[in-house]
Amino acid sequence: MSYPGYPPTGYPPFPGYPPAGQESSVPAPGQYPYPSGFPPMGGGAYPPVPSGGYPGAGGYPASGGYPAPGGYPGAPQPGGAPSYPGVPPGQGYGAPPSSASFSGYPQPPSQTYGGGPAQVPLPGGFPGGQIPSQYPGGQAPYPSQINTESFPSYPVFSPVSLDNSSEPAAMTQGTQGTIRPAANFDAMRDAEILRKAMKGFGTDEQAIVDIVASRSNDQRQKIKAAFKTMYGKDLIKDLKSELSGNMEELILALFMPPTYYDAWSLRNAMQGAGTQERVLIEILCTRTNQEIRDIVRCYQSEFGRDLEKDIRSDTSGHFERLLVSMCQGNRDENQSVNHQMAQEDAQRLYQAGEGRLGTDESCFNMILATRSFPQLKATMEAYSRMSNRDLLSSVGREFSGYVESGLKTILQCALNRPAFFAERLYYSMKGAGTDDSTLVRIVVSRSEIDLVQIKQMFTQMYQKTLGTMIASDTSGDYRKLLLAIVGQ
């Protein structure tokens, strides 16, 4: 099942990046343009990373941990973990099951979340044994420590360091993204290639695709800094002058640091008339505690605004309360499961919903906003055994609108986060037209985290590959770059 009103028919254009012929709609200078000066020379590329491992989002099992393609939708393989409630193949989430078992929604045999053991041990905990560079002295500068005189018209993005002395909330494991750091990386050589690709008449888009799609975000930040050092020009401005439309949006997203991209997406979703609630749900209900705290700090430092206040002014009711709970970044991330608590929570949720006339929304908000994802998964299983219903379908009967979508997103991530993103990608391209903003945002933001698993789940859920669907829904250099990122 798709969500109410899902997918959206489209999103407002990037602020500051109008389509050709609409330049008059550009916001006034200084109103949240893309920062040109990240990172300042000599400042490194991103916050120091703890030695425990690469800080990717969530906890995703190693490749091969999912059922074989073709096994879903439908019943799990013998011996496999249970999955979603009795739903006919291809129908998504549906009616309550006739028994306590799950079926019809793919679920990995095991799933580990924040703080869990590494599942893909690699030298140093990073792909290829390479460790991202740190700032001199191991500490990222804050905005007050950076000289902004060289780029006065643009805000500086300073990556935020939030208690990096402790283990990150994300599981420490080798990346399961389709993009990995390039070997023998030379930022100055890449900057020179990009300069030649944009110099003179026409643009060599293929050269741009080849560079951008095969470098990690950390390496792209180094290329951007090297370009300014070598040519005294801003790479982002040059790329914007050479590109347009979806290709421009995709390139700019790839050159934004991940935390800034999430913060920018949230700001864009609440700026101007209307609110893109789906974007708020997608980011705030799926990120780890550490990622959310970084986003909140970046949102304040870059846009001079308080994320919680903006959420309160743009949403209302139980949906507002759920998002405010999410942006605290205080979910329990203990990996152990308390089965007694799961049984008690299942009973409380039943009494707050199916077992009474009306709904106690605050009970659902409290449990789904505070319990760890492994604990929520155990609660869902206990709920199914106790009530002969499944919790997802109960939420669908007790709630509606965006709060229903938000609560379901949390439960879906507890069962299988890559499957949630696979579904979002599918509906961004299904039917007439393509929701390019959602397609770009998910492909870019998950490209170094779990796009490998998302591709696997996409094939199992829809009997076609993600690359095949992208190829049929996009065109030109935009298609080439998307396919290069997803590894087709």
Side-chain angles (χ1 to χ4, degrees):
M1 139 179 163
S2 63
Y3 299 124
Y6 177 73
T9 55
Y11 293 88
F14 271 40
Y17 314 124
Q22 299 183 23
E23 288 76 4
S24 61
S25 65
V26 181
Q31 187 176 0
Y32 313 118
Y34 181 78
S36 65
F38 179 81
M41 286 309 298
Y46 212 56
V49 179
S51 60
Y54 199 89
Y60 312 109
S63 298
Y66 296 90
Y72 289 96
Q77 300 293 330
S83 88
Y84 271 22
V87 182
Q91 297 300 309
Y93 320 116
S98 57
S99 67
S101 63
F102 294 161
S103 65
Y105 190 82
Q107 182 182 349
S110 63
Q111 190 162 232
T112 310
Y113 298 88
Q119 294 187 346
V120 188
L122 292 172
F126 296 90
Q130 298 180 4
I131 301 177
S133 63
Q134 298 185 355
Y135 283 89
Q139 177 62 47
Y142 281 85
S144 61
Q145 299 173 311
I146 299 175
N147 180 7
T148 61
E149 293 179 358
S150 59
F151 27 86
S153 61
Y154 289 84
V156 178
F157 175 74
S158 171
V160 181
S161 175
L162 285 176
D163 192 23
N164 278 324
S165 59
S166 61
E167 192 73 10
M171 188 182 81
T172 55
Q173 68 169 34
T175 179
Q176 288 295 296
T178 54
I179 292 182
R180 295 173 180 256
N184 303 315
F185 171 67
D186 185 336
M188 297 183 73
R189 180 185 61 198
D190 287 350
E192 185 176 3
I193 293 172
L194 291 176
R195 169 68 172 159
K196 290 179 179 177
M198 295 182 286
K199 190 177 181 180
F201 296 102
T203 304
D204 184 357
E205 284 88 357
Q206 188 60 52
I208 297 175
V209 168
D210 291 341
I211 291 290
V212 174
S214 59
R215 305 292 186 269
S216 68
N217 190 280
D218 179 75
Q219 291 174 334
R220 289 185 213 116
Q221 306 310 319
K222 291 181 171 67
I223 294 171
K224 191 160 58 175
F227 192 93
K228 178 168 282 189
T229 299
M230 294 166 68
Y231 304 110
K233 300 183 68 178
D234 184 75
L235 175 59
I236 301 305
K237 284 186 177 180
D238 278 12
L239 287 169
K240 284 176 59 181
S241 68
E242 299 290 334
L243 305 169
S244 62
N246 293 325
M247 180 64 169
E248 176 187 351
E249 180 173 344
L250 178 56
I251 288 283
L252 294 177
L254 286 165
F255 274 98
M256 292 187 194
T259 300
Y260 180 89
Y261 187 36
D262 277 349
W264 180 90
S265 297
L266 291 171
R267 176 65 188 140
N268 191 43
M270 293 183 283
Q271 193 174 20
T275 302
Q276 300 167 27
E277 290 87 356
R278 296 288 169 193
V279 179
L280 306 183
I281 292 170
E282 178 193 306
I283 294 176
L284 293 175
C285 293
T286 66
R287 303 305 195 246
T288 66
N289 286 350
Q290 188 64 50
E291 289 169 334
I292 289 174
R293 292 168 188 166
D294 288 349
I295 290 167
V296 170
R297 188 79 69 88
C298 173
Y299 194 93
Q300 176 68 51
S301 66
E302 295 309 305
F303 307 122
R305 303 180 67 90
D306 183 272
L307 178 58
E308 182 178 328
K309 286 183 180 178
D310 280 359
I311 288 172
R312 290 185 184 279
S313 66
D314 273 60
T315 60
S316 61
H318 297 294
F319 181 54
E320 172 196 332
R321 295 173 198 172
L322 178 64
L323 292 184
V324 169
S325 294
M326 292 298 99
C327 74
Q328 304 310 304
N330 284 329
R331 180 183 299 281
D332 177 23
E333 291 186 332
N334 190 329
Q335 293 308 287
S336 61
V337 172
N338 183 330
H339 292 284
Q340 179 64 31
M341 179 189 289
Q343 189 68 33
E344 293 170 357
D345 283 350
Q347 183 68 37
R348 294 169 72 182
L349 290 171
Y350 182 79
Q351 294 299 330
E354 299 278 10
R356 61 174 285 170
L357 185 64
T359 307
D360 180 0
E361 294 88 355
S362 62
C363 179
F364 280 84
N365 193 98
M366 185 277 289
I367 293 175
L368 269 63
T370 61
R371 303 295 190 250
S372 70
F373 285 117
Q375 185 68 36
L376 284 176
K377 182 178 178 182
T379 300
M380 295 174 75
E381 294 166 351
Y383 187 96
S384 182
R385 289 191 302 269
M386 177 197 70
S387 65
N388 205 28
R389 295 176 180 271
D390 91 280
L391 187 52
L392 267 169
S393 59
S394 291
V395 167
R397 285 188 291 275
E398 298 293 324
F399 295 87
S400 62
Y402 293 116
V403 66
E404 175 193 355
S405 299
L407 293 171
K408 282 186 172 181
T409 295
I410 295 169
L411 294 175
Q412 290 159 12
C413 286
L415 285 177
N416 189 340
R417 195 187 316 253
F420 165 77
F421 286 112
E423 184 185 51
R424 287 280 284 156
L425 285 169
Y426 177 76
Y427 284 105
S428 75
M429 295 179 280
K430 184 178 183 292
T434 302
D435 178 4
D436 292 288
S437 289
T438 295
L439 176 59
V440 166
R441 188 175 57 254
I442 295 178
V443 167
V444 171
S445 65
R446 311 311 292 186
S447 62
E448 294 183 54
I449 299 172
D450 58 350
L451 194 51
V452 169
Q453 286 96 337
I454 291 171
K455 288 168 57 181
Q456 292 171 345
M457 300 317 303
F458 193 98
T459 301
Q460 293 167 16
M461 294 166 69
Y462 304 110
Q463 289 77 51
K464 64 174 72 175
T465 68
L466 175 59
T468 298
M469 198 161 183
I470 288 175
S472 65
D473 267 60
T474 59
S475 61
D477 296 310
Y478 175 53
R479 173 169 59 189
K480 287 180 185 177
L481 183 51
L482 281 173
L483 292 176
I485 295 169
V486 302
Q488 293 295 116

